[in-house]
Amino acid sequence: ELVAELTAEPPGGPLVVGDERIRAFLESVSRRLVAPAPARRHPELTALGYFLRRSAVTRTLEALRPDDPARLRVPRGLVFHIPPANVDTLFVYSWALSALTGNRNVVRLSPRAGGPALAMIEVLLDALADAHPAVAHSQRVIGYDRSAEVTGLLSAACDLRVIWGGDASVREIRRHPLAPHARDVTFPDRSSFAVIRTAWWQDAPPGARERAAEGFANDAYWFGQAACASPRTIFWIGPGDHAGPARDLGERLATLARDRWPVDPAMAVRKRVAAYGLAADGVAARLSFHGNEVTAVELRDPAALPRHWLGAGVFAHARLDSLDGLLPVVRRADQTMTHLGFDAAELRELAGKLTGRGVDRMVPVGSALRFDGVWDGMDLPAEFTRLVTVTP
């Protein structure tokens, strides 16, 4: 029944790329998200509200216009989204870009979804009351536990399937076949790291270090450091001993986390076990702890950085002579590199040298979790559309 409803033409005619009915709905959702009450309860919803502003939506659509007037962008059709359970609001970014480009969407929300996701559903339902009927007709968020039957039916019916949540999730869902013309957009396991110029930290005034630590904490502690873009390793770049700067950063992070993201005893034990495991395996040369909030692991070999999640607030540290030292270290699974103390020319040079090795994003410390239409190296608005050639 759901598939039949979604494949029928919505009231007012089919959706198009940049459809005003969808744009008005997203604007209404944006206003509700930046209102004081939701912002106080779930601050991450505020960032989402700014992402959905009409001005931001307009910029997304302008960047999507083909340079060739003989090519027309059209929606792909029915898009099936399977977001992760560990980042509550991620499904909205994916869905909003797909809806904005004129697609009919069905989003599977996990029964394990937390407070921010449920608050988001309330906002969507509230905005839906004033929306054009075509929105409710063409956009659905559904909840169901793991079901091969339901996932299989929706996979067979969709024109594009968007899978978030790691290698295991991608492999499991890919067992369900797509229609021959359909395709997958996948977001498998990814890891991220930070690079800090040691001299910058040593020479920076206290206020600058404080702001940098706050940005780093926001990158790391939202979503318990489990987000793919959250840094797990810190590379200190340049000559000199990085032990002092690393200790200073750890103490600042511990203070910030203690006030905003306190670590419960169970997580503290998990982190200890993970850190001692790295030491037992010979990966860690030294361990240090700043309360329950920060566990610092000094790596024997920079190439041995842990890419799996070790718990909220575990940071591996290593020193490299220059950014070129990353070339033998980076892997395709590395997604975001947050940076501090480097200029655009240095970063572009590194990006050119990395070529296909890895790293899809290089963003300043404090910006790791800022979602963009280009994610994991893919232009998502473009992925959600097709190009039709029209030659008179």
Side-chain angles (χ1 to χ4, degrees):
E1 291 175 1
L2 175 65
V3 170
E5 291 171 0
L6 283 169
T7 52
E9 183 171 305
L15 300 178
V16 297
V17 174
D19 198 291
E20 179 54 34
R21 293 167 290 182
I22 297 295
R23 295 177 71 173
F25 178 64
L26 295 180
E27 183 179 17
S28 177
V29 171
S30 173
R31 286 198 305 269
R32 287 167 167 81
L33 290 177
V34 299
R40 282 195 302 270
R41 287 164 51 208
H42 303 288
E44 61 267 47
L45 296 183
T46 304
L48 181 54
Y50 285 116
F51 180 81
L52 298 177
R53 287 176 303 172
R54 181 171 281 267
S55 59
V57 162
T58 299
R59 287 194 297 272
T60 298
L61 291 171
E62 288 174 348
L64 194 60
R65 289 176 183 161
D67 294 330
D68 187 346
R71 305 198 188 281
L72 175 69
R73 284 208 179 272
V74 299
R76 281 198 175 270
L78 176 60
V79 181
F80 177 29
H81 304 257
I82 308 171
N86 65 324
V87 183
D88 281 325
T89 56
L90 190 57
F91 79 93
V92 185
Y93 291 97
S94 173
W95 159 76
L97 289 174
S98 181
L100 179 64
T101 47
N103 293 293
R104 292 159 283 123
N105 294 277
V106 56
V107 181
R108 183 255 178 175
L109 194 62
S110 168
R112 294 182 290 136
L118 300 179
M120 188 67 228
I121 294 297
E122 291 178 8
V123 170
L124 290 172
L125 289 173
D126 187 45
L128 196 63
D130 302 324
H132 191 283
V135 177
H137 187 279
S138 61
Q139 313 297 321
R140 305 295 178 88
V141 179
I142 64 174
Y144 66 91
D145 211 339
R146 296 179 185 273
S147 168
E149 182 181 11
V150 176
T151 300
L153 286 169
L154 292 172
S155 295
C158 73
D159 301 289
L160 183 72
R161 183 170 58 186
V162 183
I163 311 171
W164 303 76
D167 295 353
S169 295
V170 171
R171 282 193 289 266
E172 175 66 23
I173 293 164
R174 274 182 164 169
R175 293 173 53 244
H176 304 289
L178 296 168
H181 71 276
R183 54 173 299 195
D184 280 326
V185 169
T186 61
F187 299 92
D189 286 327
R190 307 302 300 272
S191 61
S192 297
F193 59 87
V195 294
I196 301 176
R197 194 188 295 276
T198 306
W200 184 96
W201 195 274
Q202 292 170 332
D203 299 337
R209 288 195 290 266
E210 186 174 315
R211 288 190 295 274
E214 182 155 352
F216 193 96
N218 285 328
D219 289 344
Y221 284 93
W222 283 112
F223 311 114
Q225 209 182 357
C228 58
S230 292
R232 298 172 188 171
T233 298
I234 304 169
F235 291 106
W236 296 90
I237 311 297
D241 184 8
H242 67 283
R247 183 170 55 254
D248 182 30
L249 175 59
E251 290 170 355
R252 293 173 186 274
L253 291 177
T255 300
L256 291 165
R258 200 171 295 124
D259 292 339
R260 303 179 193 176
W261 304 283
V263 175
D264 62 45
M267 180 60 71
V269 170
R270 179 191 180 105
K271 291 163 58 177
R272 293 263 175 172
V273 170
Y276 291 138
L278 293 176
D281 291 339
V283 174
R286 198 164 50 250
L287 304 176
S288 59
F289 303 91
H290 303 272
N292 286 342
E293 285 70 32
V294 173
T295 300
V297 178
E298 185 68 27
L299 297 176
R300 292 187 184 278
D301 178 2
L305 69 159
R307 288 184 166 87
H308 57 288
W309 183 72
L310 298 172
V314 180
F315 303 101
H317 295 260
R319 191 192 74 81
L320 297 172
D321 290 332
S322 68
L323 288 176
D324 283 355
L326 291 168
L327 299 181
V329 173
V330 168
R331 299 287 180 269
R332 188 64 192 92
D334 295 325
Q335 185 212 65
T336 298
M337 184 186 90
T338 47
H339 56 82
L340 185 63
F342 299 92
D343 60 34
E346 292 174 293
L347 298 171
R348 286 184 176 275
E349 182 181 359
L350 174 63
K353 291 177 178 178
L354 285 172
T355 58
R357 287 183 178 89
V359 179
D360 299 312
R361 304 170 68 227
M362 297 181 179
V363 298
V365 164
S367 303
L369 302 182
R370 189 174 298 160
F371 191 87
D372 186 78
V374 177
W375 198 257
D376 274 14
M378 292 180 285
D379 185 341
L380 294 183
E383 295 285 341
F384 290 139
T385 62
R386 295 185 299 112
L387 281 171
V388 176
T389 302
V390 181
T391 305

